[in-house]
Amino acid sequence: MSKRISDELLISDLQRVSKLNNEHYTPIKFYILHGNFNHKTVVTRFGGWTNALKKAGLVHYDDSLIGRKFGLLTVVKRTDDKDSGGYYLWECKCECGRTTHANQTDLKRSMRTSCGSAIHQGQVMRDPERWKKEVYSGYEIDKKTGLRYPDFNKKPLKNNTSGYTGVIKKGNKWTAELNVKGVKYRSYGFNTAKDAYYNGRLKLEKEHLPKEFRKNLEEKRKVNKHKKSRPQPRERLN
């Protein structure tokens, strides 16, 4: 009968293998190649690979991406939320200041390299001063929040069938959407586009936009509405 391998010996071997991997996250495949014991023994003993790494005081899955950069994104933490495929979402900070979420696969395969904002289309502006000058040039910005008023006070796109900004149709129902610094909020199940805008989109703005910013935004919308309703002067005929 073979002698039982102690927990201390397994932990010591995990730590040794981690050093071979420059103390980065050590996957099971790497341990299979360099470990002195069967990986199944480690998994069974500690109730999972992540638990084994935690027990050894090593970088584990829950924090394996924290601090790493993928394009313009820096990983902040793993959230408890999952995407439609069942994968955990990681909170990331974009160089532009916005926050976004992505799963591990998309980050590692470079399928997500920014928050997705339109300002990153084309040449990426990495220099903060140049970014302020070129990206924010011509835009009215709230100094306290860094939010741009035009992002929330713009005309519906030409392919928008609802007639309202931030309202789209999904199936037989209308959905309200709001994007704040790379984080998208949604409200579902409205029967009409008008209902989705007034009881969905505007409600999301009330919940997720700062009070002072929202107040200024409403004033700008009133001004724009007044300009549209004002009759245009007729051209004089010579």
Side-chain angles (χ1 to χ4, degrees):
M1 186 175 179
S2 60
K3 188 177 179 181
R4 186 176 187 273
I5 304 168
S6 67
D7 290 357
E8 291 76 15
L9 200 57
L10 290 174
I11 288 173
S12 177
D13 195 49
L14 279 170
Q15 292 170 341
R16 178 189 63 80
V17 174
S18 177
K19 289 181 179 179
L20 294 177
N21 197 31
N22 296 320
E23 298 187 348
H24 293 308
Y25 172 71
T26 304
I28 290 181
K29 290 181 179 180
F30 191 84
Y31 184 80
I32 291 174
L33 294 174
H34 303 282
N36 291 331
F37 306 105
N38 192 309
H39 70 283
K40 293 181 180 179
T41 302
V42 179
V43 171
T44 303
R45 183 69 57 82
F46 299 106
W49 187 249
T50 296
N51 289 338
L53 295 177
K54 287 181 179 179
K55 192 73 175 178
L58 303 174
V59 174
H60 49 83
Y61 178 81
D62 290 351
D63 62 12
S64 61
L65 296 183
I66 294 175
R68 290 182 60 181
K69 280 187 67 67
F70 298 90
L72 299 180
L73 300 177
T74 300
V75 181
V76 178
K77 64 180 180 180
R78 198 200 80 176
T79 70
D80 292 328
D81 298 326
K82 295 181 180 180
D83 62 11
S84 58
Y87 296 100
Y88 280 106
L89 293 173
W90 295 77
E91 182 180 311
C92 305
K93 189 79 171 181
C94 187
E95 283 189 9
C96 70
R98 290 174 170 83
T99 299
T100 188
H101 296 80
N103 66 47
Q104 184 172 230
T105 301
D106 287 351
L107 290 170
K108 289 187 172 181
R109 293 182 179 178
S110 298
M111 295 172 70
R112 285 294 301 276
T113 57
S114 74
C115 65
S117 173
I119 64 171
H120 299 305
Q121 301 299 322
Q123 184 179 5
V124 176
M125 301 166 189
R126 298 179 180 275
D127 182 79
E129 293 304 317
R130 183 182 173 193
W131 190 81
K132 288 179 183 178
K133 182 180 178 181
E134 297 187 30
V135 176
Y136 276 162
S137 177
Y139 289 96
E140 189 176 0
I141 302 168
D142 183 71
K143 294 181 179 179
K144 289 184 179 180
T145 63
L147 295 172
R148 306 189 308 180
Y149 287 106
D151 289 342
F152 306 94
N153 187 29
K154 55 188 176 184
K155 296 179 181 179
L157 298 175
K158 290 183 179 179
N159 60 351
N160 186 324
T161 58
S162 71
Y164 297 94
T165 298
V167 175
I168 60 174
K169 194 169 188 179
K170 289 192 173 184
N172 296 322
K173 298 288 185 177
W174 293 92
T175 298
E177 292 185 340
L178 178 70
N179 197 322
V180 183
K181 292 187 175 181
V183 181
K184 186 168 284 188
Y185 303 96
R186 292 187 177 95
S187 186
Y188 303 92
F190 296 97
N191 292 321
T192 65
K194 184 178 180 179
D195 188 31
Y197 180 75
Y198 287 101
N199 295 313
R201 166 75 182 207
L202 295 185
K203 188 176 179 181
L204 289 173
E205 290 183 359
K206 188 175 182 179
E207 292 175 355
H208 301 289
L209 291 179
K211 185 177 180 180
E212 192 64 30
F213 179 84
R214 196 174 68 250
K215 182 180 178 182
N216 294 335
L217 181 62
E218 289 172 357
E219 289 298 322
K220 293 180 185 301
R221 283 174 174 167
K222 288 179 182 178
V223 172
N224 288 348
K225 189 175 182 181
H226 176 70
K227 287 181 179 179
K228 289 179 182 178
S229 61
R230 189 170 55 191
Q232 298 295 323
R234 294 183 178 180
E235 293 184 4
R236 286 188 176 183
L237 298 175
N238 293 328

